[in-house]
Amino acid sequence: RKGVFGRSAMAQPFVKKDDDHDDEMEYSPFMGIEKGAVLQEARVFNDAQVDPRRCSQVITKLLYLLNQGESFTKVEATEVFFSVTKLFQSKDTGLRRMVYLIIKELSPSSDEVIIVTSSLMKDMNSKIDMYRANAIRVLCRIIDGTLLTQIERYLKQAIVDKNPVVSSAALVSGLHLLRTNPEIVKRWSNEVQEGVQSRSALVQFHALALLHQIRQNDRLAVSKLVGSLTRGSVRSPLAQCLLIRYTSQVIRDMSNHGQSGERPFYEFLESCLRHKAEMVILEAARAITELDGVTSRELTPAITVLQLFLSSPKPVLRFAAVRTLNKVSMTHPMAVTNCNIDMESLISDQNRSIATLAITTLLKTGNESSVERLMKQITNFMSDIADEFKIVVVDAIRSLCVKFPLKYRSLMTFLSNILREEGGFEYKRAIVDSIVTIIRDIPDAKEGGLLHLCEFIEDCEFTYLSTQILHFLGIEGPKTSDPSKYIRYIYNRVHLENATVRAAAVSTLAKFGFMVDSLKPRITVLLKRCIYDSDDEVRDRATLFLSVLGGDGTLDADKDSKEFLFGSLEVPLANMETSLKNYDPSEEAFDINSVPKEVKSQPLAEKKAQGKKPTGLGAPPAAPASGFEGYERLLSSIPEFASFGKLFKSSSPVELTEAETEYAVNVVKHIFDNHVVFQYNCTNTIPEQLLERVNVIVDASEAEEFSEITSKALNSLPYDSPGQAFVAFEKPAGVPAVGKFSNTLTFVVKEVDPSTGEAEDDGVEDEYQLEDLEVVSADYILKVSVSNFRNAWESMNEEDEHVDEYGLGQRESLGEAIKAVIDLLGMQPCEGTETVPSNARSHTCLLSGVYIGNVKVLVRAQFGMDSSKEIAMKLAVRAEDVSVAEAIHEIVANG
Amino acid sequence: MELPPKVKNILLLDSEGKRIAAKYYSGDWPTNTAKEAFEKAVFSKTQKTNARTEVEVTALENNIIVYKFVQDLHFFVTGGEEENELVLASLLLFDAVNLLLRGNADKREALDNLDLIFLCFDEIIDGGIVLETDANVIAEKAGINSIDPNAPLSEQTISQALATAREHLTRSLMK
């Protein structure tokens, strides 16, 4: 076959590609192609006598333009679309294929679709299978619900068509349509079920996927489906992979619902490890390693097949295996140690992704004695990989150091060596962060580590890193045995750097001067030199600190200076920034107390965390206003609540309905000094219903200190557009009252005609039981972080410290106990102390927060675990108000 | 949660990283600029690797990318990091394209037969869902139109003519 462009016709003097020639000379049938000209050419579609070959060429050109990112205006697209529809009169199969393609690409609007509907429906019933399959795919891509009901009959037929291509086309279209027209596609269950039994591998795969999607909200049906298929024989490897995914989901659901004993379906997963298709083996191995609370006995067969994959000649297989083992090594390092020898040989793998994964796995599974050998291997490896891989390695080394503190010397040497080599910002930052972590965790490493950092800033091109290190030096340097040796490095910055770094250096000098009396006179001299700096910020700081250092030495002045130099800003910087931006310069001074103290949750991390678990299915619809500021604005706009004063805290939404119920409701608890407001976010998920006068009736008989004062109903709740109802309670001022509330949703239901969207006039009153809701102590504590826990801790009165010990009973792990305490208290974990090394038997967790009434409170919780997994906790609390420290203990004692 | 394997994009680039054909199925790259940036990143990350004998794989921006080079053609398939690498690898187009281009797969042939390449894309994935994985079937389906339109019916392959006839017969019987 000759190409569409018949190369001979476009013969050019340099037909044969020649490397010596300019790239411009390279042959392309699309050279110099232009949208305007092609659109002109498209007029041939309108010719009375269709030339299939020519038309195919023009369509290819149009597709080429679209594929290269060119876009057509609405008018252009419409014009092309209309003329393309004329080509249905040609009987040329090749041209017809191109017509199908371009229609899909042009995605015509619903009023245009009507033009091709009849042509496509004719093709759908054509004798040519290829026409039928493609017409189904095109039609389903472009039609809306009303048209779909008209062709539904044909689609059902197509699903059970004996030609697998036609059947697959209908099934895949069903998968897409399920998102827009679920109620229609759900009616095809019988036909789809037949497809699952098909002898064609792909039909089976598509049918299984669709059947599961149709039934996904019916836990019992999915479990039955999985049960019957795991016993039968699914032919296609792809379908088998799907079945494994569904099985994992069923296992997860079962364990969520309290089934215990022998893990159901494990045997099936294990049998898939012996499947003949590698993709199935991989899928099964991965499913096993991801089982909740997987035991080492369950893991073993999966690890064994993955280990075999490690030495496969196929890079994809090696990658898949090492990637999976790497994940396992985070939770079950011991299970992976058997693979260490295979892993070590992968360090020299051509594929650097594989090598990096192998190294980081080894770093996690290696024991103390192998660290040095490993570091040697890595040193050679580091020189020829990209920064992004290096960062992964550096992060792994940091956790290794935390795990084996005795090995800090060789690890620190490694880090300081790579710090001196070339590298981009992110890489250098990762190294600096690691060194800082090691200095903080391992006191012996401090002096050496600080010197490494000093040397680094002597020749550091990143302002951000220089200022961070200078700040860190200011805090840690004065506490070392010989603080004076750092002064030279710091003062050098004042000479050699840009203004930002100079200003940071001035602040650091001042900290040394304040903390180390013997250095004070020398620092004063150095600072005096800085008051002639060319930058005003540097001059201002120098002048300010000179006056601080020259203070009269009384105790009060000292305390102020200390607070000034070392105290932390009590509000999160991001909130401070927003408040400053919103501040309108006027007579009224900016009030730092107006800045919200709640740490904003990081949406990115959150999104990532919830990405995979299927609980996201009925993900709560985004409320129109969320986040503290959003809530604050929303509540203050409602007159009933305007008098409640300043909002103290809003909880994250608590689900009051199970996922995938008719009405989805979650609640946000808003805490004021004297009041509590429940915001019920409601979503109506039934298209045929309109809800009116939606209200929540709250029974507060188990919440004695609360009395309902007002409620605000939601007038109308149409399908799929969330709305809010509110109920407000009064409670004793400043008291962290707790209690349990039961909720009933009441409303009037009106039937809606789905085709017109109009609701009937008469409605029926109905109610819907919601889950109970509790106000707990944690609702009265704000998560507020402190930048330096130790300074904050030491600045609080030691005599007011309250210490007590608690037995937490048997727990699965230390981490679990720590999480329980954090959740109970609702405080902010500091300095990453909420994470526990996997094999640790003791751990200290630092928490900070602000208690209602704006009282700062800090917690230092030490956990220990004995051989029978009994966990004990020593809880030390310091607060600005003694009664608050007592209250924290009370919460723990009652929790 | 999307349980069936989902493909985020399939790419066919030339040996300088220029797009020959590309199809995106996910909203991760909403504009052409974003798409081009992604292609550039993928290309430069894989450029120096040897993906001629075996299918290679790498990770980029939380995606898994499998790829293979044939002559001056660079084939890529991208999926999310939760995807099964081997499923993605089964969707690499080079076998089907090689069949369609009669074993002469290179950039020049690909551009000359770009219609076939587009059809190939269309036959392997539908809206991110795997449609067909067998290279022979894909090549056959995409190649159906390579019958010279001007050739009379008699030049259709005999099996095709027979199939059509059989179809015709069963249909009339079913009425």
Side-chain angles (χ1 to χ4, degrees):
Chain A
R1 173 187 187 266
K2 264 185 198 158
V4 256
F5 296 99
R7 194 192 299 163
S8 57
M10 300 176 79
Q12 295 178 21
F14 28 78
V15 171
K16 261 272 161 268
K17 201 167 67 189
D18 188 330
D19 286 341
D20 292 337
H21 273 181
D22 212 335
D23 289 346
E24 300 291 311
M25 297 297 185
E26 213 182 298
Y27 161 85
S28 161
F30 302 100
M31 206 155 35
I33 190 168
E34 241 183 30
K35 182 172 91 170
V38 179
L39 288 175
Q40 285 277 335
E41 268 188 85
R43 294 192 179 160
V44 300
F45 300 160
N46 296 321
D47 288 355
Q49 196 67 37
V50 173
D51 176 350
R53 195 181 167 74
R54 177 102 200 277
C55 291
S56 285
Q57 278 181 14
V58 177
I59 294 179
T60 308
K61 284 187 191 169
L62 289 166
L63 288 170
Y64 172 82
L65 286 173
L66 288 168
N67 205 267
Q68 291 294 323
E70 187 84 61
S71 57
F72 294 166
T73 65
K74 186 84 196 76
V75 177
E76 287 165 348
T78 305
E79 204 164 301
V80 170
F81 174 71
F82 277 118
S83 45
V84 160
T85 60
K86 304 221 169 76
L87 299 178
F88 273 101
Q89 54 178 297
S90 164
K91 300 249 178 306
D92 185 275
T93 53
L95 176 59
R96 187 67 57 90
R97 290 298 314 272
M98 299 312 284
V99 170
Y100 293 140
L101 267 191
I102 189 88
I103 291 177
K104 280 197 271 192
E105 288 299 324
L106 290 171
S107 46
S109 62
S110 53
D111 50 327
E112 293 167 358
V113 167
I114 216 83
I115 307 284
V116 279
T117 315
S118 64
S119 303
L120 285 170
M121 279 174 71
K122 210 172 117 203
D123 283 1
M124 249 175 77
N125 294 295
S126 152
K127 288 184 289 260
I128 304 169
D129 291 333
M130 186 275 289
Y131 279 8
R132 282 193 287 146
N134 276 290
I136 288 170
R137 285 171 60 202
V138 177
L139 202 49
C140 290
R141 177 74 59 88
I142 59 179
I143 55 174
D144 58 14
T146 27
L147 263 173
L148 182 60
T149 36
Q150 288 179 39
I151 61 161
E152 190 186 352
R153 189 163 60 92
Y154 302 108
L155 289 175
K156 276 164 121 178
Q157 254 170 37
I159 290 175
V160 292
D161 196 288
K162 65 182 173 7
N163 184 311
V165 178
V166 175
S167 178
S168 278
L171 288 165
V172 170
S173 300
L175 277 166
H176 295 310
L177 288 168
L178 196 61
R179 264 174 291 161
T180 48
N181 295 282
E183 66 294 341
I184 296 179
V185 180
K186 280 178 183 165
R187 294 197 290 247
W188 308 348
S189 287
N190 289 338
E191 287 77 10
V192 178
Q193 198 139 26
E194 210 171 301
V196 176
Q197 306 303 328
S198 167
R199 269 182 307 174
S200 151
L202 265 302
V203 173
Q204 191 175 47
F205 165 65
H206 293 134
L208 180 56
L210 182 53
L211 191 61
H212 177 266
Q213 293 279 76
I214 290 176
R215 298 196 174 159
Q216 60 178 353
N217 300 328
D218 184 346
R219 203 174 290 133
L220 197 65
V222 171
S223 166
K224 268 191 194 156
L225 175 69
V226 167
S228 71
L229 289 176
T230 50
R231 281 193 298 274
S233 63
V234 173
R235 271 166 223 91
S236 122
L238 272 176
Q240 189 79 358
C241 286
L242 269 191
L243 185 56
I244 291 170
R245 291 188 192 185
Y246 300 155
T247 307
S248 312
Q249 197 191 20
V250 169
I251 295 176
R252 203 159 34 224
D253 284 348
M254 284 179 155
S255 60
N256 282 350
H257 290 80
Q259 286 213 2
S260 58
E262 187 77 353
R263 199 191 289 273
F265 295 119
Y266 173 78
E267 225 166 278
F268 165 71
L269 293 181
E270 206 239 323
S271 73
C272 290
L273 295 175
R274 295 184 292 275
H275 198 275
K276 58 183 187 305
E278 282 164 343
M279 81 171 60
V280 176
I281 302 176
L282 172 65
E283 190 75 40
R286 228 171 238 176
I288 290 176
T289 62
E290 285 170 7
L291 289 173
D292 287 336
V294 64
T295 63
S296 26
R297 222 178 81 195
E298 288 170 323
L299 265 178
T300 309
I303 303 288
T304 309
V305 298
L306 291 171
Q307 186 175 3
L308 284 175
F309 284 174
L310 288 180
S311 46
S312 161
K314 295 182 190 163
V316 179
L317 213 46
R318 294 199 301 275
F319 177 86
V322 73
R323 186 159 82 101
T324 313
L325 290 169
N326 185 291
K327 265 200 203 127
V328 177
S329 70
M330 295 183 201
T331 49
H332 296 79
M334 289 311 286
V336 187
T337 43
N338 277 344
C339 309
N340 278 5
I341 295 176
D342 307 81
M343 288 281 179
E344 282 189 30
S345 61
L346 290 182
I347 295 182
S348 53
D349 200 295
Q350 287 275 313
N351 183 317
R352 303 325 270 161
S353 303
I354 295 176
T356 311
L357 283 166
I359 282 193
T360 50
T361 313
L362 282 168
L363 287 173
K364 283 180 205 126
T365 60
N367 51 30
E368 195 147 6
S369 61
S370 64
V371 168
E372 257 115 39
R373 189 164 49 95
L374 209 51
M375 295 316 293
K376 214 172 268 165
Q377 277 174 303
I378 295 176
T379 311
N380 299 329
F381 168 80
M382 288 301 264
S383 56
D384 56 25
I385 53 168
D387 270 12
E388 54 162 318
F389 294 132
K390 291 181 181 164
I391 292 171
V392 179
V393 174
V394 168
D395 286 344
I397 287 174
R398 169 175 31 192
S399 19
L400 191 68
C401 204
V402 174
K403 202 162 117 194
F404 301 127
L406 290 176
K407 292 290 162 192
Y408 81 85
R409 246 176 257 279
S410 54
L411 296 170
M412 186 66 101
T413 312
F414 176 81
L415 289 173
S416 63
N417 281 338
I418 55 174
L419 191 55
R420 266 182 240 126
E421 278 155 24
E422 285 293 295
F425 172 69
E426 293 294 339
Y427 175 44
K428 288 289 160 88
R429 182 163 79 168
I431 305 172
V432 170
D433 281 352
S434 297
I435 294 180
V436 167
T437 310
I438 295 172
I439 292 175
R440 219 170 34 206
D441 288 1
I442 305 168
D444 287 345
K446 189 194 274 182
E447 307 235 339
L450 287 179
L451 276 178
H452 288 311
L453 292 177
C454 283
E455 272 162 34
F456 174 60
I457 53 172
E458 291 269 76
D459 184 24
C460 170
E461 53 185 314
F462 306 109
T463 299
Y464 175 85
L465 290 180
S466 294
T467 52
Q468 292 288 306
I469 291 172
L470 283 167
H471 176 75
F472 186 68
L473 272 175
I475 293 164
E476 297 293 339
K479 297 183 212 152
T480 56
S481 59
D482 180 12
S484 67
K485 64 181 170 196
Y486 304 104
I487 301 299
R488 176 173 62 88
Y489 295 102
I490 301 165
Y491 188 63
N492 276 346
R493 301 301 102 221
V494 178
H495 285 302
L496 304 166
E497 299 278 358
N498 62 44
T500 313
V501 178
R502 293 204 302 274
V506 165
S507 300
T508 305
L509 284 176
K511 285 179 188 156
F512 275 83
F514 182 79
M515 295 295 285
V516 187
D517 274 339
S518 60
L519 288 176
K520 205 177 202 172
R522 286 164 60 195
I523 299 276
T524 310
V525 172
L526 294 176
L527 284 179
K528 278 189 182 147
R529 291 190 200 153
C530 300
I531 52 179
Y532 302 108
D533 194 279
S534 60
D535 182 81
D536 52 357
E537 171 74 20
V538 180
R539 287 197 305 272
D540 286 356
R541 284 197 193 190
T543 313
L544 181 66
F545 291 134
L546 275 172
S547 93
V548 169
L549 288 181
D552 52 9
T554 62
L555 209 63
D556 265 1
D558 253 21
K559 195 164 177 255
D560 281 351
S561 315
K562 188 172 178 185
E563 178 61 30
F564 184 73
L565 276 165
F566 293 98
S568 59
L569 193 60
E570 289 183 359
V571 291
L573 275 180
N575 299 5
M576 179 81 174
E577 188 184 353
T578 332
S579 297
L580 278 172
K581 277 184 182 155
N582 293 339
Y583 171 67
D584 185 16
S586 60
E587 296 287 306
E588 210 174 314
F590 179 75
D591 178 9
I592 195 152
N593 291 323
S594 71
V595 181
K597 292 186 176 172
E598 185 85 345
V599 178
K600 258 185 241 157
S601 56
Q602 289 155 330
L604 231 170
E606 226 172 62
K607 233 166 98 187
K608 242 182 143 178
Q610 59 176 222
K612 211 176 167 191
K613 297 288 171 216
T615 43
L617 278 175
S626 60
F628 189 79
E629 286 157 45
Y631 288 137
E632 217 176 10
R633 227 177 301 131
L634 178 72
L635 292 171
S636 61
S637 69
I638 299 170
E640 289 93 325
F641 310 142
S643 62
F644 289 177
K646 186 162 163 46
L647 178 59
F648 174 72
K649 175 176 181 174
S650 298
S651 75
S652 45
V654 182
E655 296 300 329
L656 296 183
T657 52
E658 292 208 13
E660 301 297 331
T661 45
E662 300 96 308
Y663 314 114
V665 180
N666 64 45
V667 66
V668 178
K669 298 172 272 184
H670 300 293
I671 310 288
F672 292 85
D673 198 35
N674 247 345
H675 301 88
V676 173
V677 175
F678 296 149
Q679 171 186 340
Y680 296 90
N681 298 309
C682 312
T683 311
N684 165 14
T685 64
I686 308 177
E688 297 84 10
Q689 288 191 357
L690 167 70
L691 306 188
E692 287 186 348
R693 283 187 277 142
V694 182
N695 210 347
V696 181
I697 306 299
V698 183
D699 173 4
S701 53
E702 286 179 70
E704 286 157 10
E705 290 176 277
F706 296 82
S707 56
E708 183 171 334
I709 46 169
T710 178
S711 71
K712 195 166 177 299
L714 179 60
N715 287 333
S716 155
L717 185 64
Y719 164 62
D720 207 22
S721 70
Q724 294 94 34
F726 298 87
V727 180
F729 290 85
E730 197 168 37
K731 66 166 195 63
V735 173
V738 297
K740 192 167 167 186
F741 302 80
S742 61
N743 311 287
T744 312
L745 193 69
T746 65
F747 45 83
V748 175
V749 188
K750 292 187 173 174
E751 294 291 319
V752 173
D753 182 344
S755 56
T756 61
E758 270 171 47
E760 284 175 15
D761 291 338
D762 296 324
V764 186
E765 281 193 29
D766 201 353
E767 59 175 51
Y768 191 83
Q769 189 62 43
L770 302 174
E771 311 229 339
D772 290 349
L773 156 71
E774 278 186 89
V775 171
V776 295
S777 316
D779 289 327
Y780 297 98
I781 304 180
L782 284 180
K783 287 189 174 186
V784 175
S785 69
V786 287
S787 57
N788 185 321
F789 190 88
R790 200 200 299 177
N791 279 343
W793 180 262
E794 280 166 7
S795 71
M796 289 226 210
N797 200 344
E798 201 179 330
E799 279 140 43
D800 292 345
E801 183 175 311
H802 268 238
V803 186
D804 212 340
E805 291 185 14
Y806 299 88
L808 303 182
Q810 263 189 350
R811 299 272 178 162
E812 198 49 48
S813 67
L814 266 185
E816 192 204 309
I818 290 170
K819 187 175 178 301
V821 170
I822 294 175
D823 288 348
L824 179 66
L825 293 176
M827 296 175 71
Q828 175 74 33
C830 301
E831 301 175 9
T833 53
E834 73 275 29
T835 48
V836 192
S838 56
N839 51 357
R841 312 207 61 87
S842 65
H843 186 74
T844 301
C845 181
L846 308 173
L847 303 171
S848 97
V850 167
Y851 200 67
I852 191 159
N854 250 345
V855 183
K856 195 151 101 182
V857 53
L858 298 171
V859 168
R860 190 171 205 156
Q862 287 165 283
F863 295 82
M865 180 164 72
D866 70 9
S867 52
S868 58
K869 299 210 163 183
E870 284 282 342
I871 291 182
M873 173 176 74
K874 183 179 167 194
L875 193 73
V877 185
R878 290 188 184 182
E880 288 171 341
D881 182 336
V882 188
S883 66
V884 171
E886 283 165 4
I888 298 285
H889 275 286
E890 219 163 281
I891 295 173
V892 176
N894 297 330
Chain B
M1 175 166 155
E2 296 283 351
L3 284 161
K6 273 283 220 176
V7 175
K8 290 195 180 181
N9 65 47
I10 41 182
L11 311 174
L12 175 53
L13 308 180
D14 72 7
S15 54
E16 277 144 30
K18 264 187 66 192
R19 184 190 298 166
I20 295 173
K23 189 87 189 149
Y24 286 78
Y25 307 101
S26 94
D28 294 5
W29 304 275
T31 62
N32 192 48
T33 324
K35 292 183 173 100
E36 279 176 348
F38 177 76
E39 287 160 31
K40 197 171 165 217
V42 169
F43 180 78
S44 56
K45 183 157 184 184
T46 58
Q47 190 182 13
K48 292 208 183 79
T49 60
N50 180 14
R52 298 197 175 267
T53 44
E54 294 286 353
V55 173
E56 277 290 348
V57 56
T58 189
L60 182 71
E61 300 164 7
N62 298 330
N63 291 308
I64 298 292
I65 298 156
V66 295
Y67 58 100
K68 173 133 195 221
F69 305 155
V70 179
Q71 302 292 347
D72 49 1
L73 295 177
H74 293 206
F75 295 87
F76 301 89
V77 174
T78 308
E81 60 184 345
E82 69 290 345
E83 282 312 337
N84 183 322
E85 292 85 343
L86 297 172
V87 172
L88 296 178
S90 72
L91 301 172
L92 277 166
L93 286 165
F94 58 91
D95 278 335
V97 168
N98 212 17
L99 280 170
L100 280 170
L101 302 181
R102 314 234 153 140
N104 301 324
D106 61 14
K107 178 186 176 187
R108 190 186 176 108
E109 275 302 310
L111 283 172
D112 267 344
N113 297 284
L114 199 61
D115 52 341
L116 293 186
I117 306 282
F118 285 144
L119 287 173
C120 219
F121 275 41
D122 186 56
E123 289 296 350
I124 196 160
I125 310 275
D126 185 288
I129 298 171
V130 180
L131 192 60
E132 176 60 70
T133 52
D134 186 325
N136 289 301
V137 179
I138 294 166
E140 197 187 306
K141 280 159 81 182
I144 276 177
N145 67 331
S146 62
I147 307 156
D148 192 328
N150 299 321
L153 195 69
S154 62
E155 278 187 29
Q156 279 187 17
T157 61
I158 295 190
S159 62
Q160 250 170 342
L162 273 177
T164 317
R166 219 178 296 124
E167 184 79 359
H168 195 74
L169 186 67
T170 35
R171 272 174 183 258
S172 54
L173 282 176
M174 271 157 58
K175 269 175 197 162

